[in-house]
Amino acid sequence: MAIRPLNKDKKVVKRTKKFIRHQSDRYIKVKQNWRKPKGIDNRVRRRFKGQYKMPNIGYGTAKKVKHVLPDGFKKFVVHNISELEVLLMQNRTFAAEIAHNVSSKKRKLIVERAQQLAIKVTNPNARLRSEDDE
């Protein structure tokens, strides 16, 4: 049976559109990456009606659901088995993610140990080859 998270709250996304830079649609040299307008007469900075919205703290994510994956767990990067055992008491809150620089031999051991401790691993099949290929 799959390990289920302790509490799975719905994440409220306040804005899905990107904030684009003022006049980036007008000039190619002005990239779309957001930069805060600093001009004294700038209408975006002065928040005139019909202008681009500026990012501010109100668009932030609630603390309770920040860094939570869609399955309800938070990610914890693991490099070896001893780091995996840190999650023993937190296995309903955190899911282990095996670091990118861990060898396939060690990955097998980590995934095996995670099953024994009932810890969810987000990338258990990475670098896993079947016996036929070898």
Side-chain angles (χ1 to χ4, degrees):
M1 191 177 134
I3 304 147
R4 294 176 62 204
L6 197 60
N7 52 352
K8 192 174 177 201
D9 293 321
K10 189 84 172 133
K11 193 173 197 174
V12 177
V13 180
K14 296 173 187 170
R15 185 181 167 98
T16 53
K17 284 201 280 183
K18 283 205 139 171
F19 292 100
I20 69 164
R21 187 175 175 180
H22 180 53
Q23 289 195 333
S24 64
D25 56 337
R26 202 164 195 209
Y27 304 106
I28 297 169
K29 64 187 173 187
V30 178
K31 300 283 184 278
Q32 283 202 333
N33 309 359
W34 175 254
R35 296 288 183 275
K36 188 169 170 41
K38 303 276 188 358
I40 53 169
D41 292 332
N42 189 287
R43 53 199 195 179
V44 174
R45 183 190 60 77
R46 290 161 69 189
R47 298 195 179 118
F48 281 13
K49 198 192 303 180
Q51 302 305 314
Y52 295 129
K53 295 256 186 263
M54 287 200 298
N56 57 42
I57 202 69
Y59 289 109
T61 310
K63 201 175 200 178
K64 198 173 180 186
V65 290
K66 197 175 236 173
H67 307 300
V68 174
L69 301 172
D71 61 2
F73 289 97
K74 288 184 179 179
K75 203 187 294 184
F76 183 82
V77 180
V78 167
H79 297 86
N80 52 45
I81 293 175
S82 60
E83 284 183 13
L84 184 73
E85 290 173 4
V86 171
L87 298 178
L88 182 61
M89 300 300 290
Q90 301 288 327
N91 66 341
R92 302 275 310 277
T93 310
F94 290 93
E97 177 159 302
I98 304 169
H100 78 283
N101 55 356
V102 177
S103 68
S104 55
K105 189 167 86 174
K106 288 274 197 284
R107 276 173 192 268
K108 282 181 188 170
L109 297 172
I110 290 172
V111 170
E112 206 173 278
R113 185 70 179 132
Q115 274 186 327
Q116 293 168 5
L117 299 174
I119 296 170
K120 183 183 164 97
V121 180
T122 58
N123 56 350
N125 300 326
R127 286 202 204 172
L128 201 67
R129 289 215 319 253
S130 63
E131 300 297 317
D132 310 338
D133 298 345
E134 293 173 0

